Amino acid sequence: MGKSKTKNQKKARTTANHVAEETYGAIPHSFVFHRGQVGKNVGQLISDVRRVMEPYTAESLKVRKKNVLKDFVAIAGPLGVTHFMIFSKTPSSVNVRLARLPKGPTLHFRVLKYALIKDVVSSLKKHRMHEQQFTHHPLLILNNFGSDGMHIKLMATMFQNMFPTINVHKVSLNNIKRCVLLNYNPASQEIEFRHYSLKVVPVGMSRGVKKLMQEKFPNMSKFEDISELLMKGANLSESEAEQDGEHNITELPQVYSGRGNMASQQSAVRLTEIGPRMTLQLTKIQEGMGEGNVLYHTIISKTEEEIQEILNRKEAQLKEKEDRRKKQEQNVAEKKAKRDEHKKKSLQGIKKKSDDAEEDSEVEDPGMQDGQAAVESDDEVAYYRQAVGEEPDEDMFPGARKRRNADKSHGPVKKRKLSPGGSASKDRGAKSPKRVGPGGPRRDGPGQDKQRKAWKKPRDRDKPFGKKPATGGKPFRAKKAGDGENRFGGKKRKFDGKTTGMKNKDRPFKSKSHTGNPGFKKRGPGAKQGFKQKKGKG
């Protein structure tokens, strides 16, 4: 295991992280996105511009159709974004807006010409572009921005604030791998945007020595001695001829990456364009995020009276907007007051209702369940019966009466009393005229219609239901209506008093109009039939 960090090491690390956060927060960040339909080529141009602005830009920013400019402004604050580059396309031109957050100004440019990275790289014979170049921000170079005019100075300030500042006394030359060049042409009022890759090579030595320094050993088959290579530099191709001069040779203050680039030595700085390339033209400068007054316009010029009229109209609009806002706030306050008053009245009504309910619940607790109230009423009935010695009135304990009625309605069904000469088997046999016997389902006989009519008569409801006394001491049952006329059987059979199917004790007793009349006698032609069934001749 490694040694644990000491207290001083932890403190130094915390301080370094704090300084790094402050430095990162002070560096400008940018969003590059589009508004509206822009097409495939302009979309690729947006990706290339994001590549130029790395690493302090959102390289994978997702833009949806429903997003508006306020959405980007709202999220820019927490992320520390300071500048917007907004591309748009019209049927006649491609436009770009540079906006400073959060209060502007906004510079509107027209893109006259542009070329993508792939177009620039494909036109070069040998290009230099690798991922390590994009780990640090580019060096900004402004040319010819010292002309008179407030709009020129404002453009220069806007471009300078889009990239991090460089301290020339502390900067590390190895971190500078790219540069962005902005050249302003006062005659045409156009701005040339270029993006280059930097390369530093040593000078002041022969081409042969450079080959040795670069580990590209030349062909020495025609030399007798190595001094010929160092002195003459023969056998070198014309493409490797020197292209450096006073315009790009400088003395390095630091050691730069690459063989032979030593401090206080002469080295040449070479630029290789890597794209994209744009030609911009300023159209107007506007206050705020594209919603304020127009400070400068290249095409339209206004007099002092027109400017004053515009300012007065803008002031009237702001005043009207402020009045609407105050009126809305007043309406909201009134609605809130009405809602609070209604809520107060509702709470008073609920409280009054609950107080009335408590007064009405002195006899019986409304929160008590029915079963508990009934049990307490039964106890009170028992106490009254023991103390007084007689049954209480029905109206004295209503809970107990409800309990008795519930027991009666949900209790077991009382059995019918049998007639004096009958038995249980006879009652079971005579109970249901719809029972299916062992011989199959019952067929309707000639006397069945009469039996049905007799059953439906109202006077039969008051008559007792009885059975004919048995003869011979054998168990028998009353025949069903129409059994005497049913002669479609086969062999003669005797009824032994047993039934098939569901027993009566398993079926609940159902009676519509004869409950409580055990003496009711069944009348009709089927009641007098014998208990034996013979096979008919027909």
Side-chain angles (χ1 to χ4, degrees):
M1 294 179 62
K3 295 182 179 179
S4 60
K5 294 183 179 181
T6 62
K7 184 176 181 181
N8 293 334
Q9 288 177 334
K10 293 181 179 179
K11 185 177 180 180
R13 184 175 181 181
T14 303
T15 305
N17 292 337
H18 182 67
V19 172
E21 290 179 0
E22 288 184 352
T23 305
Y24 186 81
I27 294 175
H29 295 72
S30 61
F31 276 171
V32 183
F33 57 96
H34 66 86
R35 304 305 301 147
Q37 298 292 335
V38 294
K40 183 178 179 181
N41 293 330
V42 179
Q44 186 61 40
L45 177 62
I46 294 172
S47 301
D48 295 345
V49 174
R50 288 179 182 177
R51 191 76 168 164
V52 175
M53 303 300 293
E54 287 184 4
Y56 302 113
T57 188
E59 60 181 47
S60 300
L61 181 63
K62 301 297 181 181
V63 181
R64 298 179 180 178
K65 292 182 180 179
K66 63 181 181 179
N67 292 132
V68 295
L69 188 59
K70 290 183 179 180
D71 298 337
F72 297 98
V73 175
I75 199 174
L79 297 179
V81 178
T82 57
H83 290 81
F84 282 171
M85 291 188 69
I86 308 171
F87 285 83
S88 60
K89 184 179 180 181
T90 62
S92 59
S93 64
V94 178
N95 303 318
V96 59
R97 288 176 287 172
L98 299 182
R100 179 69 167 89
L101 295 177
K103 296 182 180 181
T106 303
L107 277 67
H108 296 253
F109 294 92
R110 177 179 296 175
V111 182
L112 302 178
K113 295 181 292 184
Y114 68 92
L116 305 177
I117 290 179
K118 61 180 182 180
D119 301 328
V120 175
V121 170
S122 62
S123 64
L124 298 176
K125 184 177 180 180
K126 184 179 180 181
H127 66 87
R128 294 186 68 258
M129 187 170 62
H130 49 83
E131 292 296 329
Q132 293 180 356
Q133 294 175 340
F134 299 95
T135 57
H136 298 281
H137 63 87
L139 176 67
L140 178 63
I141 301 175
L142 298 177
N143 187 34
N144 289 336
F145 278 88
S147 303
D148 295 335
M150 293 299 298
H151 63 284
I152 304 298
K153 296 180 180 179
L154 186 58
M155 280 194 299
T157 305
M158 177 69 74
F159 288 129
Q160 287 176 352
N161 293 332
M162 287 181 63
F163 297 91
T165 58
I166 294 177
N167 189 345
V168 294
H169 300 288
K170 298 181 180 180
V171 66
S172 176
L173 297 181
N174 289 322
N175 295 336
I176 301 176
K177 300 292 184 180
R178 298 177 294 133
C179 74
V180 173
L181 174 62
L182 292 172
N183 180 44
Y184 178 71
N185 188 355
S188 61
Q189 297 183 352
E190 295 178 356
I191 301 172
E192 298 292 338
F193 179 94
R194 299 291 185 268
H195 185 211
Y196 296 98
S197 172
L198 291 177
K199 181 182 179 181
V200 179
V201 294
V203 295
M205 61 183 68
S206 64
R207 286 173 289 179
V209 176
K210 289 181 181 179
K211 283 288 184 182
L212 294 178
M213 296 294 295
Q214 295 174 0
E215 296 183 354
K216 295 180 180 180
F217 206 77
N219 187 5
M220 301 178 63
S221 60
K222 297 182 180 181
F223 298 147
E224 295 180 359
D225 189 60
I226 193 173
S227 60
E228 296 181 6
L229 174 65
L230 299 178
M231 297 302 294
K232 298 180 181 179
N235 200 26
L236 295 177
S237 63
E238 293 295 332
S239 62
E240 296 175 344
E242 283 286 348
Q243 299 177 356
D244 301 327
E246 295 180 358
H247 62 281
N248 66 335
I249 295 177
T250 183
E251 182 178 342
L252 295 178
Q254 301 176 9
V255 177
Y256 196 81
S257 60
R259 293 182 179 271
N261 295 322
M262 305 300 295
S264 302
Q265 298 292 331
Q266 295 290 326
S267 297
V269 179
R270 297 178 181 177
L271 301 179
T272 303
E273 188 175 1
I274 58 178
R277 179 188 299 177
M278 290 187 295
T279 302
L280 307 176
Q281 185 179 17
L282 180 67
T283 56
K284 67 177 179 178
I285 301 175
Q286 196 172 5
E287 290 181 350
M289 294 297 296
E291 298 178 353
N293 300 326
V294 177
L295 303 178
Y296 172 80
H297 204 290
T298 57
I299 301 174
I300 302 173
S301 60
K302 298 181 184 241
T303 61
E304 293 293 334
E305 292 78 8
E306 292 177 346
I307 295 174
Q308 188 64 31
E309 184 181 355
I310 293 173
L311 293 177
N312 295 337
R313 186 167 60 248
K314 189 68 176 179
E315 185 178 356
Q317 291 178 357
L318 294 176
K319 185 177 180 181
E320 184 180 357
K321 184 178 179 180
E322 183 68 19
D323 295 341
R324 287 198 305 267
R325 187 181 62 82
K326 290 182 179 179
K327 186 176 181 180
Q328 289 177 355
E329 291 179 354
Q330 184 178 0
N331 294 338
V332 170
E334 291 178 358
K335 290 181 180 180
K336 186 177 180 181
K338 290 181 180 180
R339 186 166 57 250
D340 294 342
E341 184 179 359
H342 178 70
K343 183 178 179 181
K344 185 177 180 180
K345 290 182 179 180
S346 300
L347 292 176
Q348 291 178 355
I350 293 173
K351 185 176 180 181
K352 183 178 180 181
K353 187 176 181 180
S354 61
D355 295 340
D356 295 343
E358 290 179 0
E359 293 177 0
D360 296 339
S361 62
E362 293 180 356
V363 179
E364 183 178 354
D365 187 5
M368 187 181 298
Q369 299 181 359
D370 296 339
Q372 297 177 357
V375 171
E376 293 181 0
S377 300
D378 293 342
D379 296 340
E380 294 175 356
V381 170
Y383 177 78
Y384 182 88
R385 187 184 296 112
Q386 182 179 1
V388 180
E390 59 182 11
E391 293 293 334
D393 297 338
E394 294 183 356
D395 298 336
M396 187 175 296
F397 301 104
R401 183 177 61 183
K402 293 180 181 179
R403 178 67 178 271
R404 287 195 298 271
N405 294 338
D407 294 341
K408 288 181 181 181
S409 60
H410 299 287
V413 180
K414 296 178 66 177
K415 296 183 179 180
R416 288 191 303 135
K417 294 182 180 181
L418 301 177
S419 58
S423 61
S425 62
K426 286 186 270 183
D427 288 344
R428 285 195 298 269
K431 175 179 176 287
S432 177
K434 297 182 181 180
R435 184 181 299 278
V436 179
R442 172 178 55 82
R443 297 179 181 271
D444 295 339
Q448 184 66 17
D449 296 336
K450 298 180 180 180
Q451 174 64 19
R452 291 176 180 171
K453 292 180 181 179
W455 181 263
K456 293 180 180 179
K457 291 180 180 180
R459 63 176 179 272
D460 292 341
R461 297 178 183 176
D462 302 329
K463 295 181 180 181
F465 182 80
K467 298 293 183 297
K468 199 170 183 179
T471 57
K474 295 182 180 180
F476 72 95
R477 67 177 179 85
K479 294 292 184 178
K480 297 180 181 178
D483 286 347
E485 288 80 10
N486 188 4
R487 301 180 180 275
F488 294 94
K491 298 179 182 181
K492 187 194 306 183
R493 61 183 179 84
K494 294 183 180 181
F495 183 76
D496 54 357
K498 297 181 179 180
T499 59
T500 60
M502 184 184 294
K503 297 183 180 181
N504 288 339
K505 64 181 180 179
D506 298 332
R507 299 176 58 184
F509 179 77
K510 297 180 181 179
S511 178
K512 295 182 179 179
S513 60
H514 307 295
T515 306
N517 297 327
F520 184 84
K521 293 182 180 181
K522 181 179 179 182
R523 292 192 177 186
K528 298 181 180 181
Q529 302 298 328
F531 59 90
K532 292 184 180 180
Q533 189 177 22
K534 296 182 181 181
K535 180 180 178 182
K537 295 180 181 181

